[in-house]
Amino acid sequence: MTPPPPPPPGPDPAADSAVDPCPGPGSLVVLFGATAGALGRDLGSDETDLILLVWQVVEPRSCQVGTLHKSLVRAEAAALSPQCREASGLSADSLARAEPLDKVLQQFSQLVNGDVALLGGGPYVLCTDGQQLLRQVLHPEASRKNLVLPDTFFSFYNLRREFHMQHPSTCSAGDLTVATMAQDLGLETDATEDDFGVWEVKTMVAVILHLLKEPSSQLFSKPEVIKRKYETGPCSKADVVDSETVVRARGLPWQSSDQDVARFFKGLNVARGGVALCLNAQGRRNGEALIRFVDSEQRDLALQRHKHHMGVRYIEVYKATGEEFVKIAGGTSLEVARFLSREDQVILRLRGLPFSAGPTDVLGFLGPECPVTGGAEGLLFVRHPDGRPTGDAFALFACEELAQAALRRHKGMLGKRYIELFRSTAAEVQQVLNRYASGPLLPTLTAPLLPIPFTLAAGTGRDCVRLRGLPYTATIEDILSFLGEAAADIRPHGVHMVLNQQGRPSGDAFIQMTSAERALAAAQRCHKKVMKERYVEVVPCSTEEMSRVLMGGTLGRSGMSPPPCKLPCLSPPTYATFQATPTLIPTETAALYPSSALLPAARVPAAPTPVTYYPGPATQLYLNYTAYYPSPPVSPTTVGYLTTPTAALASAPTSVLSQPGALVRMPGVPYTAGMKDLLSVFQAYQLAPDDYTSLMPVGDPPRTVLQAPKEWVCL
């Protein structure tokens, strides 16, 4: 132990106490710490253990100081960095003989309480040089070791900030150090002190005593607070989120919850509802999360936890934007807002429910031992836009114990189905509801079709390139920038983005080049170049292979597989690679309708269109250049037609028979199918004219094709 330093020169402390020149907070505990790794502003950034604590009590009212204490902490990883070994003079042997962290914290509380009582002070608050010691070292390490920190460690004064409030003309608070603060105040320090940590604490005490002599009612009046637990809450699409407060965490275990993410950032103040777990196209977690903090300082500290560990996995932490957070976590549904308005509730997600299951079935499945908050009002069923159930639901529980009891029902049986239960978040509720609330990519084609400005010519020459592994946020402009000089060799309308079955980017794209040589040169130049931190594979392919994928097939290492249609698939006439053959057309249908009625010729624009690399926005909506499953739907020529009676055919006007059209029969339609279900089957075709009132369920009065014929136009 080092004896307390002599009182600084100035007025007599007893006289100061008599006139109470230092009104303000209770006792201050000046605290300094070090780890086995980085020091200074990088303290805690390398996830090394605490090895040293030095502290001293200051009584502000009497300006008295207590005994200076120094304690070593046993580190699990005894290896010291060269920087720490040089600055501290410690060795692995000395640390191996030290007490563990929990014992040191107990000694800290006992010694501080004794010193505060001797000085006649009241409740005490910690005072540190910056935020790193508590936020980046003590709280994360205590969380890793499952230690419960005393209440003392959840509030503190940042000496740098307090000094900057008194002396704003100096550099920013983040750039201050103990030495610069003492130098600005003109304080003399003991340059001969070589005991690591002691000089820092003595100098901090001298700075505090000097600041207490200056008249200021704001000094040491508002300590910084470290949140004890993460608070859930909803987010609205109308919210404005500062991009300087958001980070993206990647590599999370798929089963991790928002509480697990908040625990990884223990010590930093995450905003209310500030953890948004990201979902993939199938609605499952993809190992990423967006985290929103209360201010930019907390965000900067969070970025220092890049490649820190959650269990055995290291987590990558990057900057993100407020728009990305709102896109993931924001919602517009009043039903969801009411569901999430209950505070301090644990959310569980139930997946795989029978479509006929209602609130009573779910409550019975969970049982009386884990009641849902509010009964049926604590359940939120996820439905399609037309009201059909999706098999997903969310449930609220009042506490962690009830949620854990409910999780024991994971993969329990409800009827003939097993139900999956997972911990969920408010942001996940918003994402799932937003995904199902959005309409289909091709909802109802009521607008007239635009002329198709280009075709996919047949051919086996490898004059195309395939891009694999694109970032999901990549746009066509990003692809053109990625190709660089090779973009000048792209054919007009030659960029084709491939979407998945949910209508979202799949990470693939096809590019039509002017020649096979240009395609090979582009592949050699751009293969495995990086786009937005991801390398992209660029391989040559043929137009036939590209067309097969764009029509819904696959292109693997073993070659092509056909589109997933059970019946022979006739593609639109503009895709020359998959032209129909006369043998597929039923004889009776061919006798009744001309060939133009079954497969009308491609429309040709009246005037030449401007040359672009990809279709315009309106054309992209209707053209089937993205991969649906199946895509396109089965051609009308591959299913049976309702034949017209001979008598009706003989009496039919020639003008009616010359109109292009066909009546399609759909056997095996489910009894619960509605109008939207029938339209979704023909999502790549248009029913003309622009109304859908003529879809005729079986059971309606019979009608022949001669009455108001309709035209299915293939895109």
Side-chain angles (χ1 to χ4, degrees), residues 338-355:
R338 287 193 296 268
F339 177 78
L340 298 176
S341 61
R342 301 173 183 265
E343 297 183 358
D344 300 328
Q345 298 291 315
V346 182
I347 306 175
L348 295 186
R349 181 180 180 182
L350 292 83
R351 196 165 58 196
L353 295 171
F355 293 151

Side-chain angles (χ1 to χ4, degrees), residues 279 282-284 349-358 362 380-394 417-420 428-429 431-438 502 677:
L279 307 180
Q282 287 74 37
R284 301 178 184 273
R349 181 180 180 182
L350 292 83
R351 196 165 58 196
L353 295 171
F355 293 151
S356 59
V362 176
L380 178 64
F381 289 88
V382 184
R383 300 183 182 276
H384 289 284
D386 57 0
R388 292 180 295 115
T390 64
D392 280 21
F394 294 93
R417 299 178 64 94
Y418 71 86
I419 311 302
E420 298 176 310
E428 185 175 14
V429 176
Q431 288 184 79
V432 174
L433 268 294
N434 291 342
R435 173 173 287 114
Y436 285 107
S438 59
Q502 284 77 30
D677 302 306

Side-chain angles (χ1 to χ4, degrees), residues 663-683:
L663 183 62
V664 181
R665 182 182 183 184
M666 301 174 61
V669 175
Y671 297 120
T672 58
M675 187 73 67
K676 292 184 178 180
D677 302 306
L678 298 179
L679 293 177
S680 65
V681 176
F682 299 97
Q683 61 177 348

Side-chain angles (χ1 to χ4, degrees), residues 40 140 157-158 160 206 212 215 220 261 274 281 337 344 379 406 437 490-491 507 580 590 615 643 664:
Y157 289 110
N158 184 350
R160 299 184 188 185
L212 290 172
F220 298 108
V261 176
D344 300 328
L379 295 174
I490 301 176
R491 289 186 183 181
T643 57
V664 181

Side-chain angles (χ1 to χ4, degrees), residues 3 32 41 85 99 130 160 177 201 216 221 243 253 271 303 308 347 372 387 400 527 603 625 628 644 670 672:
F32 173 83
R41 65 175 61 190
R85 187 182 298 108
E99 295 289 343
R160 299 184 188 185
T177 64
V201 171
S216 174
S221 59
S243 295
L303 292 174
H308 284 203
I347 306 175
V372 177
E400 185 67 29
H527 184 55
R603 305 175 184 177
Y625 73 96
Y628 296 95
T644 304
T672 58

Side-chain angles (χ1 to χ4, degrees), residues 282-341:
Q282 287 74 37
R284 301 178 184 273
R285 297 170 186 171
N286 62 2
E288 295 189 8
L290 294 173
I291 302 92
R292 176 188 179 188
F293 296 92
V294 296
D295 54 42
S296 59
E297 288 184 331
Q298 308 292 306
R299 194 282 302 267
D300 294 340
L301 292 175
L303 292 174
Q304 293 184 1
R305 300 197 186 182
H306 179 60
K307 292 195 174 181
H308 284 203
H309 287 76
M310 178 184 289
V312 296
R313 300 173 63 99
Y314 73 85
I315 309 301
E316 300 175 353
V317 183
Y318 303 98
K319 291 182 179 180
T321 65
E323 291 78 8
E324 292 175 324
F325 182 85
V326 173
K327 183 179 179 180
I328 295 297
T332 58
S333 173
L334 295 178
E335 181 184 10
V336 178
R338 287 193 296 268
F339 177 78
L340 298 176
S341 61

Side-chain angles (χ1 to χ4, degrees), residues 94 161 169 221 231 285 289 310 322 335 372 422 496 548 609 618 623:
S94 60
R161 180 168 296 175
S169 59
S221 59
E231 300 175 348
R285 297 170 186 171
M310 178 184 289
E335 181 184 10
V372 177
F422 305 95
H496 307 275
R548 183 63 63 97
T609 55
L623 284 175

